[in-house]
Amino acid sequence: MNKIALITGASSGIGEACAHVFAREGFNLILTGRRAEKLEKLANALNIQYNTEVAVANFDIRNKASVTQNLEQLPEAWKKVDVLINNAGLSKGLDPINAGDTNDWDLMIDTNIKGLLYTSKIVSNWMIANGHGHIVNLGSIAGKEVYPNGNVYCATKHAVDALNKGMRLDLVQHGIKVSAINPGAVETEFSNVRFNGDAERAKKVYEGFTPLAAMDIAETIYFIVSRPAHVNINDLTIMPTAQANAVTFVRK
Ligand code: NDP
Ligand code: 8X3
């Protein structure tokens, strides 16, 4: 019987790349996100390429009732989740605290912290019932450092860092591994979302150096998950070679 990975935010970027890697490695997948069409297309492609069985659960992770309903209505066989990748997340805006848009703050806090919590509560209970599991949390260099105008996004990723430690403390007794991966700059839809679709501004973020690709992160997550049973990688920070910390880049 194939293992099962549940990937939140699988409709683009790192989540989509994880879907490809985990399908290639023989997992069946539960893919979540708001864009149903993208998820269905991905599910079909993985089914054709790898014979992967895929369950698509289409919901907004900010909506507690929707998260609960969509996950709990999955057939019992799909609740034998081996790996949860808490990936769905975003940044909105890059403004000093006095000028920030409070709607952007709500969006980031509700998605990056509360959505991750709603999902983790449900899936960790399934893992406890199954007697094993591995949760991988998408943190960020923004959860290790704070950079100018990053205020609330950095706060949400510092919260993910704290939750990564807290979950590990609470779940170790159940044989559940908890790991975080904290990337620097990865070229995905991330900056486009941060800058409200301003593609020119988004492109500038990655100019003059080679950023990480979503696949770099997906392969590293698979490395974390495929360690022997007695090994857990608690926390891993991964950067483009040209990036030394949150704000220091060598651009040519
Ligand atoms: P993308 O914008 O490419 O992907 C984000 C994913 O999150 C999409 O699949 C999106 O799906 C999903 N998502 C966002 N909001 C919601 C919501 N309300 N409900 C459900 N799903 C949602 O960005 P990345 O792949 O780069 O980001 C993935 C994770 O990696 C995030 O947590 C991000 O903070 C983190 N990260 C990214 C870095 C980068 O430089 N790119 C660096 C460090 C960390 P949909 O829109 O269909 O709902
Ligand atoms: C994404 C990386 O540096 O834009 O989490 O915060 S950064």
Side-chain angles (χ1 to χ4, degrees):
M1 173 129 169
N2 290 0
K3 288 185 173 179
I4 298 173
L6 191 165
I7 304 169
T8 67
S11 54
S12 79
I14 294 167
E16 183 178 357
C18 286
H20 280 278
V21 169
F22 279 73
R24 183 192 73 201
E25 298 299 333
F27 279 71
N28 288 334
L29 301 174
I30 304 169
L31 304 179
T32 83
R34 290 167 299 181
R35 285 171 289 178
E37 204 178 310
K38 292 202 77 175
L39 292 172
E40 292 293 351
K41 207 171 153 198
L42 177 61
N44 285 336
L46 296 175
N47 184 259
I48 290 165
Q49 193 170 358
Y50 302 109
N51 209 21
T52 310
E53 285 181 37
V54 185
V56 168
N58 176 223
F59 58 87
D60 188 327
I61 207 165
R62 291 172 294 169
N63 183 325
K64 187 167 27 178
S66 196
V67 176
T68 305
Q69 192 202 339
N70 276 280
L71 294 183
E72 292 294 11
Q73 79 180 7
L74 286 165
E76 286 307 309
W78 279 104
K79 295 181 182 171
K80 308 265 181 231
V81 168
D82 298 281
V83 176
L84 165 64
I85 304 179
N86 273 325
N87 167 76
L90 80 176
S91 68
K92 260 287 186 214
L94 189 64
D95 301 299
I97 201 77
N98 54 297
D101 182 329
T102 54
N103 291 322
D104 289 348
W105 298 353
D106 288 342
L107 179 59
M108 289 187 279
I109 291 166
D110 290 350
T111 309
N112 300 357
I113 305 176
K114 292 166 75 178
L116 179 145
L117 283 169
Y118 303 150
T119 310
S120 299
K121 176 166 179 181
I122 293 168
V123 179
S124 62
N125 275 306
W126 296 348
M127 288 176 169
I128 289 168
N130 296 337
H132 73 277
H134 196 158
I135 299 174
V136 181
N137 294 308
L138 256 293
S140 169
I141 189 62
K144 301 290 180 183
E145 299 173 31
V146 180
Y147 50 84
N149 303 329
N151 42 60
V152 176
Y153 178 67
C154 294
T156 67
K157 289 299 180 179
H158 275 70
V160 173
D161 192 45
L163 288 170
N164 182 58
K165 292 171 187 152
M167 284 185 201
R168 190 176 317 111
L169 290 170
D170 297 344
L171 298 176
V172 67
Q173 64 188 305
H174 300 290
I176 297 171
K177 297 186 186 188
V178 180
S179 307
I181 181 162
N182 306 289
V186 189
E187 191 166 11
T188 60
E189 291 182 2
F190 177 85
S191 292
N192 221 37
V193 171
R194 168 170 257 176
F195 300 130
N196 292 311
D198 182 341
E200 276 308 302
R201 193 172 175 200
K203 205 166 135 221
K204 280 198 171 61
V205 173
Y206 312 106
E207 253 169 28
F209 73 103
T210 306
L212 294 169
M215 262 300 170
D216 296 321
I217 304 305
E219 296 285 9
T220 308
I221 290 173
Y222 185 70
F223 176 82
I224 290 171
V225 162
S226 57
R227 291 310 84 212
H230 68 289
V231 177
N232 185 48
I233 295 174
N234 288 354
D235 197 42
L236 188 155
T237 299
I238 175 169
M239 311 282 274
T241 303
Q243 182 179 8
N245 68 10
V247 293
T248 308
F249 295 82
V250 176
R251 296 180 196 264
K252 292 189 172 142

